[in-house]
Each structure stands twice: as structure tokens, then as C-alpha cells.
Amino acid sequence: MNNALFTFARPENEPSMSYAPGCPERELLKEAIREIESETAEIPLVINGEFVRTGNTGSVVMPHDHRHKLAVYHKAGAEEMERAIAAANAAHESWSNMPWTERASIVLKIAELIDKKYRYILNAATMMGQSKSVWQAEIEAASETIDYFRFGVHCMNELYGDQPASEEGVINCLEYRPLEGFVYAISPFNFTALAANLPMAPVMMGNTVVWKPATTSLLSSWYLMKIFMEAGVPAGVLNFMPGPGSVGSGVVLKSKDLAGIHFTGSTQVFNGLWKGVAENLSLYRSYPRLVGETGGKDFVFVHASADIKAAATAMIRGAFEYQGQKCSATSRAYIPASRWDELKAEFEAMMPQVRTGDPRDFRNFVNAVIDEASFDNCMEYIEYAKSSPKAEILFGGTGDKSVGYFVQPTIIKTTDPHFRSMEEEIFGPILTIYVYDDDKFAETLDICNNTSPYALTGAVFATDRDAINRAESVLRYAAGNFYINDKTTAASIGLQPFGGARASGTNDKAGSKLNLIRWCSPRTIKENLLPPHDFKYPYMQED
């Protein structure tokens, strides 16, 4: 056994490529896009390292060209889920006992493979399968995914090094054991990086995993799974199980060996999983760890002292990048009446430049929403606003799903701070604005704090320090990631640990030690070098 003491230093964040005209990476990416769109991939299940084809299949299509089939995938049924659980349980002993530095080597190899070998194909799969612009794909499918793995190893290094003190005659230590059982990972469609982190964060810590990827992002998830296998993740440690979530969860929640759930998705689904765990609590070997990042109704609050051009830029980027399909996307804003005309003028100058269309045209800022259900949901909110006397559509307000699921970026102005689109999560390119009286700054902060059940991200724009401090105090629990003079999106691994509370999740801060520690069960070990041979204590002697 290698007895070297390894130290994995804090890495630098992975730089993102610009893909500007004339640069070599632009052409390499276009070549990868042509490769992706020229073939129809077959996506099997992976159970115990073996490809499993059930024959019960579905299709993966381009959201921006829904007649174009990218892949055919096989669906996992109850029988396959049972096999995956058995495979994860069988692999647990050897994987959990593997030296952590060897696990770290596999994790770091994944980062290198994405960085040096698969960057363009993973970005292309994300762009075509999830309708992401080149920049949105690069910053997360490539850079953020790489950061998850490199920073993950550094966090492992710090976590395992956090040990109790020893004393004369006694050696103390903490063993960071993996959980007893398997972890169920459920990843969302909107971030390839999350599809990488949700199953692999528990794997890093020595756990085995059954992974249910989102159907609408299966192509990029399938590339990730192949990269994990190429890097050396052993058979059975990670089992890839596309298919209906209700089928998979129905089997998993009744397994006595369920040790944890790592989830990103809707609050409603996470609540259902939590309820399912509670209903089956007497079955489990131990209390399952429930780690979830769910919805958001993220705000920008503008003070009268704000830099209005900066606020307008942040709102357009925060609300419309990736079609507002980020749990951190800006979806409501509070604007002082004294600055409203100025802000509206900025929108009038910027919004005509916000192009919508196919991500293969790099000039487009907004692409298609993920599927027809999302399109219909967005249009229902837009039609509701059009019909309400409390709202007006300032920009956008149209959609077309004949070729792709395109919703024009839309800004709604309302006279009601509790208007439906100010309170409910939409997950689309729709921003609703409420204009408040300047002398009601404090009162409107309270409205912002109490309007939404969510508490994921939020931002304040101001140059007045007293106003910033007041907003930071009143909105203390309104956002797990709070920004001052910046947009509500684009948290970076190692710099702004991400997560929220209230109905936005368990706030376990993905990409940090706070998340990794949820995937281990510490054991305290004390060794007495010279144990006593007499039970009596000195106080027991006679005077």
C-alpha cells in the first residue's frame, strides 16, 4: 500500500473559453455539434457496469427543432431498479474500503477527460439536447463540471484532515465512513454540471449510487456516464437508470438499504420523496439523508441610489439567460418609482438586441424552453397577464412552438406586489416588475421577504450603504445566495457555495464540504495506549 501522505491543494477555477469568431475552439465545437446532430444515439441502462436494453424506449429531441431526434433511450422498470439496488449494495464493501486517494485519482481523471478530451462533445450534447447557448454550455457543462470534481477532491482533503486532538496516552481520530446502504441521485435537466455532481458527490465519499437522470437531458448525462466509466468508476458503484421517476422512486423508497437521496428539481417532487421516506421510515436500516435543491422565485430589489444601467443588465442576464430555466433565475423585481422611467429606457434600448432562436446560431441570446409542457406553462402565465387589469406586457409576450419551443423573453409590469407571476415559480423567460413608492422602501423589503415560499437567490442594487445594510438584514432568510450589485445567477464553485432554504431546499451548498459531509457517517475512534487495571479512583481512598 502506498504510504505517502497526499495533499490536494485548492485548485483554480476552470477558465471558460470565449468561442469568439476566429478562435480554434469555435470550429472544434461546431464540428462536435455536427457530430451530435448527424446521428441518433442509443442510450441503455447501466447496471453493474453492463449495458441493459429493456426494449421499452423513448425519444430525446432537440427543444429548438423538436422534429429532430437525437437519441432513443431505454426505460428502467421496477425489475431493473431492483437489480441496480442489488448491484450498488454488492459494490459497497469494496468501494467504501478503497483508500480515499484512489477515489480522488478517479475523480481527478474525470475532470481531465472533460477538460482535455470531451469538452466540445459534452458542450455540443448540452447545446443540442438542452437548447443552451454556447456560452451557457461552456460555463457549466465544461467549466463548472470540472470545478465540481477538482474542488471536490480538495474538499475531501480538508474534510478527512479535520481530526480531533489526542492527548498523552490516548490517540483519537474520526473515520469519515460512507453511509450504510446506497444513495439515490435524481438530477435535473437544466445543468449538465448538476447531472455530474448529484451522483458523483456521494461516490467521491465512498458511497454507491443509483442515478435517475432527467429524461430531457439524457444525451449529455449519457456522455457523462461514459466518461465516468472511462475514468475508472467500478461496476456497480454508479448505476445509470433513465426512465419514469415514479417507477424508480416507488422501488427505491421501499428498500431497507436506502441511505440517502441527492435531489435537484421541483419542490413538489422533493416533498413527495420526503413524504415517501417518512411513510417507510420503519423499513430503513438508518435514517436516510435527504439533500435537496428545489425551486426559486428569485428577486432583484433596486434602491433609488442604484446604478440603473447595471441593474438593467443584471435583470436581462439573470432573467433570460438559458430561458430563465435556472432555479436561480431572476423572475421578480422591485423598482423605485423615481428610477422607473430610466430603467424602462434601458430596457427599451437593450431588449430589441436580445435575439431568440436556435443555439447553432451563436448570435442568439435566448433559445428554446425544454419541452412542450414548459412552453404551454409559460404561455399560460403570459395570457393571464394579458387578461389582467393589474398587469401589462412591456416586452415580448409571444411564443411559437411550430418548429421549436420558443418563448419570447417577456417583461410584465404589475400594480400588485402579490400578482400571480410575482409569487409563483414559472421556470421560463418571464420577468415581472413591481414599481414601489420611494418612501416605502422598508415596507417593500418586507413584502419581498414574505411574498414567496422560496429562498434561493436574490440581489439588491444600491450605492447607499445604509440601504444595502437594511436590505441585507431584512432579506437575511430570503436567499441562500445573496448578491450586492450583481445578478442572481452564476455562482462559482469554491467562491459562492450554492443553495437555499425555505421551500428552496436543504441548503447543503453543492460543491463544498457542507455537501460532502452529508454523504458520510463519522465514527469516533479512541485508542488508550495504557488502559487502567484498577477500577478505583483516587477520591475513593481513606483520609
Side-chain angles (χ1 to χ4, degrees):
M1 178 182 291
N2 189 340
N3 60 6
L5 297 177
F6 284 82
T7 298
F8 295 95
R10 178 185 174 88
E12 296 292 328
N13 287 91
E14 173 68 13
S16 296
M17 297 183 178
S18 71
Y19 297 96
C23 66
E25 58 265 22
R26 188 181 178 98
E27 292 308 311
L28 289 168
L29 178 62
K30 287 185 175 181
E31 182 181 334
I33 290 172
R34 288 190 289 270
E35 179 181 341
I36 290 288
E37 64 187 6
S38 68
E39 59 186 22
T40 303
E42 183 185 21
I43 303 176
L45 286 58
V46 181
I47 302 175
N48 201 30
E50 298 179 0
F51 293 174
V52 176
R53 296 171 173 83
T54 64
N56 180 14
T57 60
S59 298
V60 177
V61 301
M62 293 181 182
H64 46 276
D65 184 1
H66 46 65
R67 293 168 296 184
H68 190 131
K69 185 186 296 184
L70 290 168
V72 173
Y73 70 96
H74 293 260
K75 300 178 183 180
E79 179 183 347
E80 289 78 30
M81 291 300 295
E82 294 282 5
R83 289 173 57 191
I85 291 170
N89 287 337
H92 185 275
E93 182 176 359
S94 61
W95 181 245
S96 66
N97 287 315
M98 179 180 285
W100 77 272
T101 52
E102 296 184 26
R103 286 188 270 116
S105 296
I106 293 173
V107 171
L108 290 174
K109 184 170 182 179
I110 293 170
E112 287 300 296
L113 286 170
I114 295 171
D115 186 7
K116 307 295 195 306
K117 186 176 179 181
Y118 293 113
R119 186 185 208 103
Y120 303 111
I121 200 72
L122 189 59
N123 279 349
T126 301
M127 292 173 68
M128 296 299 98
Q130 290 139 265
S131 200
K132 283 206 170 186
S133 71
V134 57
W135 178 246
Q136 291 298 304
E138 168 67 15
I139 61 175
E140 68 93 4
S143 298
E144 186 175 359
T145 304
I146 292 167
D147 284 347
Y148 268 126
F149 293 121
R150 289 180 178 160
F151 277 88
V153 168
H154 172 64
C155 289
M156 291 166 69
N157 188 110
E158 289 193 324
L159 188 59
Y160 291 137
D162 187 3
Q163 292 293 326
S166 294
E167 55 189 326
E168 185 178 352
V170 173
I171 299 174
N172 299 312
C173 76
L174 275 175
E175 177 194 3
Y176 293 90
R177 302 171 298 178
L179 304 181
E180 188 177 16
F182 71 93
V183 174
Y184 185 37
I186 306 173
S187 59
F189 77 85
N190 55 342
F191 283 95
T192 301
L194 289 177
N197 182 61
L198 265 68
M200 284 301 297
V203 166
M204 286 184 203
M205 300 303 294
N207 297 278
T208 56
V209 172
V210 175
W211 173 24
K212 177 9 188 131
T215 299
T216 42
S217 60
L218 266 181
L219 188 62
S220 58
S221 294
W222 172 232
Y223 275 101
L224 284 172
M225 185 64 197
K226 291 192 288 186
I227 292 168
F228 299 157
M229 295 172 72
E230 182 176 337
V233 175
V237 169
L238 180 57
N239 301 278
F240 179 77
M241 306 298 289
S246 57
V247 174
S249 298
V251 174
V252 165
L253 292 174
K254 294 179 181 178
S255 172
K256 68 179 178 62
D257 295 307
L258 177 63
I261 297 175
H262 203 190
F263 174 87
T264 294
S266 75
T267 302
Q268 180 183 6
V269 173
F270 191 53
N271 288 350
L273 290 167
W274 199 299
K275 182 179 179 181
V277 167
E279 290 173 346
N280 292 290
L281 207 55
S282 61
L283 298 177
Y284 303 133
R285 189 189 302 270
S286 56
Y287 293 104
R289 302 285 176 88
L290 302 179
V291 177
E293 193 266 292
T294 54
K297 190 64 183 174
D298 310 297
F299 61 85
V300 165
F301 201 106
V302 178
H303 182 255
S305 67
D307 178 338
I308 290 297
K309 193 176 188 69
T313 300
M315 280 185 266
I316 288 177
R317 284 185 169 182
F320 303 136
E321 285 182 321
Y322 194 45
Q323 297 77 263
Q325 296 176 129
K326 302 180 182 183
C327 43
S328 58
T330 306
S331 56
R332 56 184 170 126
Y334 302 84
I335 312 300
S338 64
R339 307 301 301 276
W340 167 239
D341 288 343
E342 187 180 348
L343 179 66
K344 186 179 179 183
E346 293 292 348
F347 283 149
E348 289 170 344
M350 294 180 185
M351 287 298 290
Q353 303 176 59
V354 178
R355 289 174 53 108
T356 301
D358 195 307
R360 287 169 288 194
D361 183 342
F362 288 8
R363 297 171 300 171
N364 290 325
F365 185 78
V366 174
N367 308 121
V369 296
I370 195 65
D371 58 17
E372 187 172 18
S374 177
F375 175 91
D376 291 345
N377 180 64
C378 290
M379 295 310 299
E380 195 275 328
Y381 276 96
I382 288 171
E383 293 305 318
Y384 177 83
K386 286 180 177 178
S387 65
S388 173
K390 296 180 179 180
E392 61 175 317
I393 305 290
L394 300 180
F395 303 95
T398 61
D400 185 348
K401 62 180 179 181
S402 59
V403 176
Y405 304 115
F406 294 106
V407 177
Q408 288 297 322
T410 297
I411 299 179
I412 301 168
K413 180 175 177 286
T414 181
T415 57
D416 180 3
H418 297 289
F419 190 67
R420 183 179 166 198
S421 62
M422 287 290 287
E423 293 189 334
E424 298 177 11
E425 184 182 40
I426 302 173
F427 228 62
I430 299 172
L431 170 65
T432 304
I433 289 173
Y434 171 71
V435 178
Y436 67 91
D437 295 335
D438 288 45
D439 60 357
K440 294 184 178 179
F441 172 67
E443 185 178 319
T444 310
L445 281 174
D446 288 330
I447 292 173
C448 177
N449 183 46
N450 295 309
T451 290
S452 168
Y454 303 105
L456 190 55
T457 71
V460 59
F461 275 80
T463 57
D464 181 323
R465 202 72 221 181
D466 287 338
I468 292 172
N469 291 340
R470 180 65 180 268
E472 192 172 359
S473 176
V474 173
L475 301 172
R476 185 182 186 193
Y477 289 100
N481 281 56
F482 187 74
Y483 299 88
I484 300 169
N485 295 319
D486 204 358
K487 62 179 180 173
T488 62
T489 62
S492 296
I493 306 299
L495 299 177
Q496 300 98 26
F498 187 80
R502 294 181 181 170
S504 290
T506 57
N507 201 19
D508 287 295
K509 299 300 185 189
S512 74
K513 286 189 295 183
L514 295 171
N515 183 277
L516 293 187
I517 201 167
R518 297 301 306 278
W519 308 118
C520 59
S521 178
R523 176 170 68 152
T524 299
I525 301 173
K526 172 187 176 181
E527 181 179 358
N528 194 336
L529 301 178
L530 289 174
H533 290 176
D534 187 349
F535 79 89
K536 295 189 292 294
Y537 293 97
Y539 78 89
M540 300 171 67
Q541 297 176 12
E542 293 185 13
D543 292 332

